Amino acid sequence: VLPSQLVARSFEGYPPQARQIAANHIALLKRLPLGFLPLLLRELIGYDWKFPAERREMDGQLAYLTSLGPEQLAKAMEVFSHLRLAPALEKTDWVNSPSIFTEQLTAHLWSTHQIDAFRAGAVAYIEKSSAALPRQELPAHRLGIAVIGQGVHDNQYRLFRKLRPHGEYYTRVKAANGLATLLDVLKKRAASYPMPYGHWYIDGSTSAPPIAEGATSISYASLSGPRAVLQTRMRKFYEATVFDPEAFRSGMAQIQPEEIGLDAARDPVLARFQLSLLTEGSGTQVFATTFVQWAAREVWRRAQPLTVFARFGQRQRENPMNVLLAEAHRPPELDPQGSLIDADMSAYYTWVNQQRLAGAEKAAFLVWFEDHQEAIVTGPEFRQGKQSDVSTDLRDLVALIASAK
Amino acid sequence: VRIDATQSISSSRRTFLRTVTGAAAFPGLRSLAGADRPKKTVVVTFGGGARDDETFMPDGQENIPHLLNELIPQATFFSQVVNRGILGHYVATASIVTGVYETFNNFAPVPPDNPTVFEYFRKDGKRPATDCWVVAPSNGFARIGESNHRAYGPGFGAGVILPKRLLTAALAGGDRERYQHLLRDNYETPLYAPPLTGTQLELNRMAEVLKLSVDDFAAHARSLASPDEMSVFVARQLMRQLAPSLLWVTLHDIDVAHSGTFSLYIEGIQRCDRLCAELWQAIQKDPEYANKTTMFILPDFGRDSDIDSGGNGFQHHRTGDQLSRTTWMMVLGPGVRQNVVVDRPVESIDLIPTLGSLLGFDARLSRGKPIAEVA
């Protein structure tokens, strides 16, 4: 099937809202090149389970493309129209399986040395379509909080090395009930600025996560059931006589939330998101620190919330994959010091991903070494690249980041 | 933009090396005199490149003390080695080995399409099969020693030793539990782990080649900390027993980065740093190799930058950005200028024609060019 042959019935396999949107834009979809359309459909097919911010972006992207005259559209699609595609790609069911098409397209672009041109074209397209989106005022500045180093007593690693140039480093933080103090910030912001998926608590500790009222919560520990089911499936791939990575990826992509015990009836959007963390992330299935980092990244990128609170716990020690995947069958040995180093870098990445969003110039970010005196804070109220050795109460830092303008 | 970004990476490396090691700019071309031509060559590639942030930048230097303090002062350092091919470890290493950007599926158990350095070396020089070997980390590299090219191919390649497969065969009777740390897997996909199915026949043959009993191999392996340590142990055993003229070792511990664990990635870099120095020291102590061996060390490519929104920092090498495509190479040995930096860009496919100039074979199907500074 070529794009020009599409009709509304082509999208019968799509979920209801995605199907309706495709039908409403069928004239546009027929004009898009095969090197681009399946990538758009890959996003559209999941519309029913997207976060509000993602839906807004998809609606805006379609509006932008629809607004272009024939010559403008041809120019916007120029790079994608000129890609040399393999005939086999045209024969795949790219309408109903756009993810598989995209994966095959990517491999083809790499092997034919077209990936750089594609990448440049994609970046230019995203810049233009994003610029056309109506700017949305935020009800408050964005705030990120990361708590790292659970269970570490003595540390020789130089913390916050990546973040120090961007914020103020505090060496004498008084933090009695520090975790509760920080969680309180999350709760207050969720109460003050209620919005769907606008405030998140992400937990990587081994214990049950605290209740974060008003926030969307996900945790490595509470997903132990779905992870165990998934790990069993992964282990079967691993132990097969011949391992086929493409079959493995396809198999992972086709898993439904219910199959691994995620409650899709209660909150289908969240269930799909959690599934994506476990099936699309690398290492998220077996390492708690990787899970929290990837989850925080995806939350910022996809949900674009006002508040993200990421608490990093301890991951299991490195082992062969078959041992890592048997986590549910034995108590894993933990690596607190390695987890601290992982979390330190992950906190930096969480800040980087916050900075990619609109309103970055007003955003604030705090990292605290749990039960220790070290913290770093970034934001308009804080000096960059400076160190404070003055005794400072965590509650005072919290007051500053919560009120930052 | 591409040139600027690449040159910026190169410039940072050069500046840092000049500060730390006092390395000078390369003074000018000169060909190696006949007496300086190496009789033996060892190539070490890192599968899973290490970024500058964790190596040549100020925060990274603590991870590479051996490269900085012991090897670079003796080396010509190329600060801008660009890989324009597919950034997957097997296909990228195959591209270095053939001097052509190979385009096969990175995860397919296939031989390279173009002749390998081993085939050129053996056919042109009429070298025996025992004169070149590859030590590789996993089953995914099993076919790297020999292409399926009609003019070369079967009978002209290198022997490939996969230490993990040997160990698996040696442990066929059980006891895998104590060796789990040596059987760690590749993380390039969420679960890319080719099955380890070593056979007793293969093990016995290797035991004969390495002059090492199965029991001794297993006993020694128990004292090693990682798959890369096992690879270097096997490489040193090959040097002692067969003294091959061309030895290719690929290290892979760094690629644990795909699991997203920064601390393990750093440990992998530190281990590679130490193992490279140990291998060079072993070369200097072995009469068969001392003062007549050139060693090349290069990552197969880099890793994604922290800034590119299409990636996730050090974890992967998927974006194709300049940081993931641009890496470095150091060359040590007789006749090689010491403690100098070459800024100009070279490509990873230039290595094989360079080896051709040094070792006297014609890499006629390679798309690279000999690197004049060391050829």
Side-chain angles (χ1 to χ4, degrees):
Chain A
V1 176
L2 293 171
S4 60
Q5 298 169 310
L6 289 174
V7 293
R9 280 201 319 277
S10 306
F11 300 94
E12 281 179 340
Y14 279 36
Q17 294 181 71
R19 185 166 62 234
Q20 187 61 50
I21 291 172
N24 293 347
H25 293 84
I26 195 73
L28 168 68
L29 302 183
K30 291 173 73 161
R31 293 160 59 203
L32 298 175
L34 188 58
F36 175 85
L37 179 54
L39 281 71
L40 186 71
L41 296 183
R42 187 182 63 166
E43 300 302 315
L44 178 59
I45 199 171
Y47 188 92
D48 296 47
W49 305 299
K50 296 275 189 195
F51 293 118
E54 292 175 291
R55 293 185 182 197
R56 201 164 50 244
E57 285 189 346
M58 172 56 75
D59 296 342
Q61 197 176 164
L62 289 168
Y64 163 72
L65 289 167
T66 304
S67 73
L68 299 177
E71 284 183 16
Q72 291 171 307
L73 183 63
K75 192 170 182 192
M77 293 291 112
E78 192 173 12
V79 169
F80 309 106
S81 301
H82 286 98
L83 293 174
R84 301 183 307 279
L85 302 184
L89 279 170
E90 295 175 11
K91 293 176 185 165
T92 62
D93 184 8
W94 52 268
V95 176
N96 292 301
S97 303
S99 290
I100 292 174
F101 176 93
T102 304
E103 193 169 298
Q104 293 174 352
L105 173 69
T106 305
H108 172 74
L109 294 176
W110 275 101
S111 66
T112 52
H113 300 281
Q114 299 183 87
I115 193 72
D116 289 347
F118 174 82
R119 188 168 175 274
V123 168
Y125 168 76
I126 292 293
E127 278 177 7
K128 282 184 184 164
S129 64
S130 300
L133 274 177
R135 190 177 171 86
Q136 199 183 31
E137 289 301 320
L138 297 173
H141 67 284
R142 296 189 206 275
L143 173 63
I145 296 172
V147 177
I148 66 175
Q150 184 192 31
V152 174
H153 301 295
D154 300 310
N155 171 51
Q156 303 301 318
Y157 186 76
R158 182 170 166 267
L159 289 175
F160 315 135
R161 55 182 69 187
K162 290 270 192 177
L163 272 172
R164 287 189 201 193
H166 306 284
E168 193 157 354
Y169 170 46
Y170 292 84
T171 60
R172 293 180 61 203
V173 176
K174 290 185 291 182
N177 297 318
L179 201 59
T181 300
L182 294 173
L183 274 169
D184 198 46
V185 178
L186 176 66
K187 290 176 194 169
K188 283 180 177 164
R189 282 174 63 90
S192 300
Y193 313 107
M195 54 192 286
Y197 307 107
H199 308 274
W200 287 75
Y201 178 71
I202 305 165
D203 192 299
S205 63
T206 49
S207 54
I211 295 169
E213 293 156 16
T216 306
S217 288
I218 54 174
S219 85
Y220 189 74
S222 63
L223 287 173
S224 60
R227 283 192 296 106
V229 176
L230 200 59
Q231 287 174 357
T232 302
R233 287 194 181 201
M234 293 171 75
R235 210 165 59 243
K236 282 180 184 166
F237 274 99
Y238 172 74
E239 290 168 354
T241 310
V242 177
F243 177 70
D244 180 346
E246 287 176 5
F248 169 72
R249 282 183 183 158
S250 298
M252 295 283 275
Q254 287 164 5
I255 293 173
Q256 298 297 310
E258 300 84 352
E259 292 177 51
I260 62 169
L262 290 166
D263 186 357
R266 187 158 158 255
D267 186 341
V269 173
L270 183 61
R272 288 274 171 177
F273 179 67
Q274 290 173 314
L275 179 68
S276 75
L277 295 179
L278 296 176
T279 56
E280 295 170 17
S282 177
T284 55
Q285 310 85 359
V286 290
F287 289 129
T289 48
T290 305
F291 173 85
V292 175
Q293 188 272 322
W294 184 253
R297 175 196 196 274
E298 289 294 273
V299 164
W300 279 130
R301 185 180 71 86
R302 292 185 49 188
Q304 300 178 22
L306 284 182
T307 318
V308 171
F309 186 130
R311 186 191 184 201
F312 290 86
Q314 297 181 35
R315 63 160 168 78
Q316 58 176 327
R317 283 195 185 280
E318 191 196 13
N319 265 306
M321 188 63 86
N322 60 335
V323 177
L324 294 173
L325 291 173
E327 185 189 4
H329 303 296
R330 52 155 184 83
E333 189 185 354
L334 301 176
D335 179 1
Q337 183 63 36
S339 303
L340 172 64
I341 296 169
D342 296 351
D344 181 64
M345 188 63 162
S346 298
Y348 169 63
Y349 284 170
T350 304
W351 173 80
V352 167
N353 286 301
Q354 182 201 46
Q355 289 295 301
R356 291 194 171 116
L357 298 177
E361 69 285 356
K362 295 179 181 173
F365 193 81
L366 179 147
V367 191
W368 175 50
F369 180 13
E370 188 169 349
D371 295 331
H372 292 261
Q373 296 187 63
E374 288 177 83
I376 190 162
V377 193
T378 72
E381 311 283 328
F382 297 88
R383 301 175 299 168
Q384 294 188 351
K386 300 294 183 186
Q387 177 170 324
S388 171
D389 299 320
V390 177
S391 178
T392 309
D393 197 301
L394 184 63
R395 285 172 298 191
D396 293 336
L397 289 179
V398 160
L400 280 171
I401 59 171
S403 66
K405 293 282 185 283
Chain B
V1 172
R2 173 184 302 166
I3 291 169
D4 287 345
T6 307
Q7 286 179 340
S8 168
I9 295 166
S10 169
S11 173
S12 298
R13 285 187 187 129
R14 181 189 62 220
T15 304
F16 178 64
L17 287 176
R18 282 179 183 160
T19 305
V20 174
T21 71
F26 195 84
L29 296 182
R30 92 174 166 169
S31 296
L32 294 184
D36 285 338
R37 297 239 166 241
K39 299 195 170 42
K40 296 192 186 290
T41 300
V42 175
V43 180
V44 181
T45 60
F46 298 174
R51 309 185 308 173
D52 279 9
D53 289 34
E54 288 80 48
T55 52
F56 292 103
M57 289 294 103
D59 273 343
Q61 62 181 282
E62 65 190 21
N63 301 319
I64 54 167
H66 298 286
L67 292 182
L68 282 178
N69 301 322
E70 297 170 32
L71 299 191
I72 286 179
Q74 304 178 59
T76 291
F77 185 87
F78 294 85
S79 62
Q80 197 179 161
V81 180
V82 182
N83 184 322
R84 302 195 193 285
I86 301 174
L87 304 186
H89 294 301
Y90 175 45
V91 67
T93 307
S95 300
I96 297 173
V97 161
T98 60
V100 179
Y101 290 122
E102 298 283 336
T103 56
F104 57 78
N105 180 344
N106 184 55
F107 300 109
V110 296
D113 292 329
N114 297 281
T116 65
V117 60
F118 317 109
E119 294 156 72
Y120 291 132
F121 177 66
R122 283 192 56 201
K123 192 170 185 181
D124 284 9
K126 297 184 172 53
R127 302 278 184 162
T130 51
D131 208 24
C132 54
W133 290 89
V134 179
V135 183
S138 73
N139 282 9
F141 283 66
R143 309 291 299 273
I144 200 158
E146 196 167 78
S147 73
N148 57 9
H149 194 277
R150 271 186 294 178
Y152 293 87
F156 289 108
V160 178
I161 298 184
L162 307 169
K164 280 196 283 190
R165 190 151 78 177
L166 288 183
L167 184 61
T168 304
L171 303 176
D175 203 24
R176 283 181 62 126
E177 195 63 33
R178 284 193 291 172
Y179 293 85
Q180 296 284 21
H181 62 294
L182 297 178
L183 299 172
R184 282 201 296 256
D185 310 306
N186 180 317
Y187 291 85
E188 193 155 343
T189 74
L191 188 73
Y192 174 58
L196 295 166
T197 53
T199 64
Q200 200 60 35
L201 181 66
E202 185 179 34
L203 180 67
N204 290 337
R205 182 171 162 258
M206 281 302 119
E208 197 176 309
V209 168
L210 296 172
K211 301 283 189 295
L212 189 69
S213 75
V214 173
D215 288 345
D216 286 348
F217 175 61
H220 188 84
R222 199 178 302 156
S223 69
L224 302 173
S226 82
D228 281 353
E229 287 203 353
M230 193 160 58
S231 291
V232 171
F233 165 70
V234 168
R236 292 179 64 173
Q237 194 68 15
L238 275 171
M239 288 165 59
R240 276 193 291 269
Q241 299 304 331
L242 297 175
S245 299
L246 178 55
L247 177 60
W248 193 293
V249 184
T250 73
L251 304 179
H252 220 77
D253 284 355
I254 292 175
D255 217 30
V256 71
H258 284 295
S259 70
T261 48
F262 187 70
S263 57
L264 299 178
Y265 161 61
I266 293 296
E267 285 177 15
I269 293 171
Q270 293 168 344
R271 203 175 299 121
C272 268
D273 172 70
R274 174 172 55 79
L275 290 172
C276 284
E278 286 179 11
L279 199 52
W280 181 243
Q281 287 160 10
I283 286 168
Q284 300 315 309
K285 288 177 185 166
D286 187 330
E288 288 285 337
Y289 286 88
N291 302 317
K292 49 189 166 188
T293 303
T294 303
M295 183 158 87
F296 294 77
I297 304 173
L298 69 161
D300 50 10
F301 44 78
R303 306 192 79 86
D304 294 333
S305 74
D306 290 338
I307 303 306
D308 195 305
S309 60
N312 192 36
F314 73 92
Q315 188 174 14
H316 299 301
H317 36 79
R318 292 177 179 165
T319 64
D321 69 2
Q322 289 310 306
L323 206 63
S324 62
R325 289 201 176 280
T326 309
T327 182
W328 50 265
M329 176 170 73
M330 66 177 72
V331 188
L332 307 95
V336 175
R337 286 190 190 274
Q338 299 192 343
N339 209 24
V340 294
V341 178
V342 178
D343 285 341
R344 74 177 183 87
V346 300
E347 292 193 44
S348 51
I349 57 171
D350 293 337
L351 175 60
I352 295 319
T354 304
L355 293 180
S357 294
L358 287 171
L359 300 173
F361 62 79
D362 180 8
R364 50 186 65 83
L365 296 173
S366 165
R367 304 278 172 80
K369 297 172 186 166
I371 300 170
E373 289 85 348
V374 290

